[in-house]
Amino acid sequence: MKYLYLLSFLFAVTSVVSAQTKPFEGTMTWTCTTDVIDSKEVEKYQKQIIREDNSEINQSIAELEQQLNDPEMQYLLLENPTVKSNMQKRLNDLKATQAANLESENNAKNIFPTSLVIYLKNNNSYTKIEGGSLAKLTGNMLYLDSTETTYFIKDDIKTYAVLSDSTNMNRYDSIISITKTTDSVVILKRPCVKYILVTKEDSEINTSYIWITKSIPSMNDASFRSIGFVDGNLHHEAFVQFEGGIPLKIVIFEKGFQLSMEVSDISPSLLADSLFTIPAKYKHAVWGY
């Protein structure tokens, strides 16, 4: 889970919804910028991410090829040419993604996202990651409030993984401190207070700065808290302690880079219910594979 550290803050972005407040419906857009502090460390991290993504894709390719070559399956596919065609198409798509990843590794392309768009409706959220190869590794994220569950959806290989709010994955990591400072800033006309979060992960100490506002009561913090699961639950736990506060700006230092994220737009709009569902043909996959 270490390679997903930076995402543990990207999406913890809403506040507690009171009984008298209608849940916000619309979009929240984040702009992300990356500054390289140690180029060698960043390049190493980039290649690690791509190799891990390739491992998952390679497994899916092997499974499909085995099914297509199985004598008993071949007999069934002769009677179902549409199924065979769909399987072959998916195999071709996976191989194309595999080739693109190998090219990315050779060119050491940027893995980090350039922006995020979070869609909010009925206390649910769907987070779409734009830019960077990390988006392929994590997938887009769907949170359903009724079941307190997060789905990590990978459109390129048509799979999804599932984690609930009760999942505990931080056996070897810990929060060292969460410090509320007296520093403040106004973002999109909303006052924000600066917090400092220090964590320990595999003996490595990491520091993040988060600017929190409590001026958006119509947003559901729980629908984004689940994103903390991607890094051993640490940031899920941290944002619980903010008691409904919404981060509008985050700065993370890790793996030789500084990632800065800031909300650039919050726009009410009507959203389709279908945006908050998993496509019927997508296959369930164990988290991390």
Side-chain angles (χ1 to χ4, degrees):
M1 296 294 177
K2 287 293 297 173
Y3 50 82
L4 295 178
Y5 171 80
L6 66 96
L7 290 172
S8 52
F9 274 117
L10 293 181
F11 318 105
V13 295
T14 55
S15 65
V16 172
V17 180
S18 70
Q20 294 77 29
T21 303
K22 182 179 179 180
F24 176 85
E25 181 174 354
T27 61
M28 175 182 278
T29 302
W30 289 71
T31 300
C32 308
T33 58
T34 304
D35 295 312
V36 174
I37 298 173
D38 184 333
S39 58
K40 290 184 178 180
E41 186 68 18
V42 168
E43 183 176 353
K44 178 182 176 182
Y45 183 50
Q46 288 176 316
K47 291 184 176 182
Q48 173 191 350
I49 295 294
I50 294 169
R51 283 195 298 269
E52 289 169 341
D53 191 21
N54 275 337
S55 176
E56 180 177 352
I57 291 174
N58 292 343
Q59 180 179 339
S60 296
I61 288 174
E63 290 175 355
L64 269 175
E65 288 181 334
Q66 181 180 4
Q67 292 173 2
L68 288 168
N69 294 326
D70 181 82
E72 185 175 343
M73 178 64 75
Q74 286 182 343
Y75 176 78
L76 294 174
L77 292 177
L78 284 174
E79 298 182 346
N80 297 275
T82 301
V83 174
K84 181 177 180 179
S85 176
N86 289 338
M87 291 176 66
Q88 189 63 56
K89 182 180 183 303
R90 187 183 178 207
L91 179 61
N92 293 338
D93 291 342
L94 286 169
K95 288 184 175 181
T97 301
Q98 181 187 56
N101 279 357
L102 289 173
E103 181 181 356
S104 294
E105 182 174 357
N106 292 333
N107 295 334
K109 291 182 179 178
N110 194 354
I111 67 168
F112 312 114
T114 55
S115 66
L116 309 167
V117 180
I118 303 175
Y119 301 86
L120 304 164
K121 184 175 183 177
N122 296 330
N123 291 331
N124 303 318
S125 66
Y126 177 76
T127 302
K128 186 174 183 180
I129 306 172
E130 302 285 357
S133 58
L134 190 60
K136 292 188 300 181
L137 186 62
T138 62
N140 296 319
M141 302 180 190
L142 169 66
Y143 179 83
L144 298 181
D145 184 64
S146 60
T147 58
E148 298 182 338
T149 301
T150 302
Y151 300 85
F152 298 83
I153 303 171
K154 298 187 178 183
D155 293 317
D156 57 338
I157 57 175
K158 295 180 172 57
T159 66
Y160 66 92
V162 183
L163 289 175
S164 70
D165 277 1
S166 59
T167 302
N168 187 0
M169 302 170 62
N170 62 333
R171 292 174 296 171
Y172 307 110
D173 304 330
S174 62
I175 296 174
I176 295 177
S177 64
I178 301 175
T179 305
K180 181 179 180 180
T181 74
T182 57
D183 296 339
S184 62
V185 68
V186 176
I187 299 173
L188 297 181
K189 299 182 179 180
R190 302 183 184 277
C192 303
V193 175
K194 180 181 178 181
Y195 286 76
I196 302 173
L197 172 63
V198 181
T199 60
K200 181 179 180 181
E201 299 161 277
D202 293 336
S203 75
E204 181 179 348
I205 305 299
N206 297 305
T207 301
S208 301
Y209 301 97
I210 311 101
W211 284 260
I212 298 290
T213 185
K214 294 191 176 182
S215 65
I216 315 179
S218 62
M219 290 187 179
N220 177 21
D221 66 309
S223 66
F224 292 89
R225 191 186 303 153
S226 62
I227 304 304
F229 283 128
V230 297
D231 190 50
N233 209 14
L234 286 181
H235 299 94
H236 166 88
E237 295 172 5
F239 276 92
V240 171
Q241 296 183 45
F242 292 137
E243 298 179 342
I246 302 169
L248 295 185
K249 180 179 179 180
I250 302 165
V251 177
I252 297 172
F253 296 89
E254 190 188 2
K255 302 298 184 183
F257 66 89
Q258 172 186 312
L259 179 65
S260 301
M261 299 156 287
E262 185 169 336
V263 175
S264 57
D265 181 71
I266 300 175
S267 296
S269 60
L270 297 178
L271 302 175
D273 291 338
S274 59
L275 190 62
F276 303 91
T277 60
I278 299 172
K281 295 183 179 181
Y282 281 31
K283 178 183 176 183
H284 177 262
V286 178
W287 174 251
Y289 295 93

